[in-house]
Structure formats: C-alpha cells, structure tokens
Amino acid sequence: MRILAIDSSGQTASLALWEDGLTLADFSIHANKTHSQTLLPMLDAVRKMTELHMETVDAIAVTSGPGSFTGLRIGSATAKGFGFSLDKPIIPVPTLEGLAYNLYGTDQAVCPLMDARRNQTYTGIYEFVRMDGRDEYDMNVIKGQCAVPVEEILYACNQLNRNVIFLGDGVPVFREEICRSLSVPFSFAPAHMNRQRAAAVAALAAKYYEQGKMVPAAEYAPEYLRLSQAERERKERSEGQKL
C-alpha cells in the first residue's frame, strides 16, 4: 500500500511518501513562504527522486484540522485535486493526532499545542498503549482535539498525575505559562520532533486506512473547530447591529 501524505496545518509545510511500513520520502520546510509556493515543488522533487508514478498511490492522507485556515484550505484543495484526478480516497488525519504521532511509543502523556491566537490553543492529550502480545502501540485519546484557553488544557494535564511532554508551535508561545502552572513532571519535544511532519501523518493514516477511515475526494472537507477571524468579525458586527 502506498500513501501520499500532506500536512499544511501550520507554518511547516510537509509532504511524505509511505509504502508498506517504510517512509520512502519525507520533505518538510519551515520558511516564510505560502504553502501554495512550497507543496507542489516539494511533490515534484519527491516524485522525481523516487520515480513515483502518481497513479500507483493508493490514497491521499491530509491533516484535516484544526490549524491555519489558509494552510488547511491549500492542503485540502491539493489533496482533493489529486483524489479527483487519480480517483483515490482521502484519509483525513486530525492535526493534533498527527502531531502527537511524532512521539509514537513514548510512556509519557503527549500534549500538542498549536497557537490559536487570543491566548487560545488547538490542543488535545494522547497516550500510547502497547497492543497485547505485539511490539506495537495504539494511540489512545485522553482528551480529543479542541480549541480552548491554554489554562484549561494545563489544568487537564495537572489532573493526569503523570509525566507530560509538549510539542507544537504553541510551546514557545505558552512556555512560561507551562513552567508556571504545571505541577506534574513535564518536558518539551526536541527540535526534530516538535512540528508537523507528514511522515507521522502517513504512518497514522495507514492505520486509519486499515480501519476504513477514508472518504471519497468529493466528500472531504477540513475541520476548523472555530470560525476564522474574518467570520468572527462579521458575526460580531452583525450582533452589534442587532443591539
């Protein structure tokens, strides 16, 4: 089975090619460029270096949100375009689950943090549980992905009574708050594991594929969790006019 994975949910643009348990290509870039400038050149490079024929891809995996509204739309359009043209299914991977999967196998609780502005974070809490009789782990959702004030997720972490490891672009934003508020032992993921990575998305998507968690390209839509800034401002203006 061959999966092409795309993650454009944050500033890091990432693309990976996965086949039968092996990452054939993993291309990530964190730069001041739009994902519309980076994703297709990255795909072209991967395609040439791996001699990939696109019709041999079995499914397209994409982070389904939350995250950057523009980034999610670009990733969604790219995935849907390939899905339509190749007649392949889309495997939606929740962004926070894809991030947490970077730390596959850890015995600590995993708390991804994405900066959602206004002192809020896109976040969740996950753990890895060894499967009976196998040297593999399942990812268990302790707290599903949500958009909340950072104080709320840190309170939830304190209730776990276990070590917590944080990762994501929200870590530098909320680091002082984490250090001030956490009463349980905690740590931060190292640089090579603390941002979106399509290779992790692809590996998790392979599990979802086996579970039948895929949709036709025509039915796929990202999950934003909250309104965009423009939509919020429109709503506030509309409500203000009614008063």
Side-chain angles (χ1 to χ4, degrees), residues 10-217:
Q11 188 174 353
T12 300
S14 189
L15 186 143
L17 181 62
W18 183 98
E19 182 179 37
D20 297 333
L22 178 65
T23 301
L24 300 181
D26 181 13
F27 195 159
S28 297
I29 183 167
H30 188 90
N32 292 320
K33 292 182 180 292
T34 66
H35 295 314
S36 58
Q37 293 175 293
T38 55
L39 282 178
L40 291 181
M42 289 164 65
L43 174 61
D44 190 50
V46 167
R47 184 181 58 80
K48 289 177 179 176
M49 292 296 291
T50 62
E51 299 182 346
L52 171 67
H53 296 285
M54 292 296 293
E55 63 273 12
T56 66
V57 170
D58 294 295
I60 313 296
V62 62
T63 43
S64 57
S68 157
F69 285 80
T70 301
L72 290 175
R73 287 173 180 139
I74 292 171
S76 174
T78 303
K80 285 172 74 76
F82 288 134
F84 275 123
S85 63
L86 299 171
D87 192 25
K88 304 295 182 180
I90 304 291
I91 308 173
V93 176
T95 302
L96 279 304
E97 294 185 16
L99 257 174
Y101 215 70
N102 281 344
L103 301 176
Y104 173 87
T106 180
D107 60 357
Q108 302 181 59
V110 180
C111 183
L113 297 172
M114 295 177 67
D115 183 13
R117 313 287 183 181
R118 297 188 174 188
N119 203 43
Q120 285 202 327
T121 177
Y122 297 126
T123 187
I125 305 176
Y126 307 87
E127 65 179 351
F128 292 94
V129 180
R130 184 182 289 274
M131 299 170 65
D132 291 339
R134 299 173 63 182
D135 292 327
E136 295 183 41
Y137 294 85
D138 273 336
M139 187 169 68
N140 180 46
V141 179
I142 298 175
K143 182 177 179 62
Q145 60 181 25
C146 52
V148 297
V150 67
E151 296 84 2
E152 183 174 324
I153 194 65
L154 296 183
Y155 175 82
C157 288
N158 276 332
Q159 305 310 302
L160 298 176
N161 291 321
R162 61 186 292 189
N163 291 36
V164 181
I165 184 166
F166 294 93
L167 73 162
D169 62 22
V171 168
V173 178
F174 302 117
R175 191 181 188 107
E176 290 185 7
E177 182 73 18
I178 294 169
C179 295
R180 184 169 57 247
S181 302
L182 261 288
S183 58
V184 295
F186 65 92
S187 60
F188 302 106
H192 66 289
M193 303 170 74
N194 69 5
R195 290 294 189 273
Q196 285 85 344
R197 188 177 177 189
V201 172
L204 183 54
K207 289 183 175 289
Y208 290 164
Y209 185 94
E210 292 174 355
Q211 297 166 10
K213 295 181 179 179
M214 64 193 94
V215 296

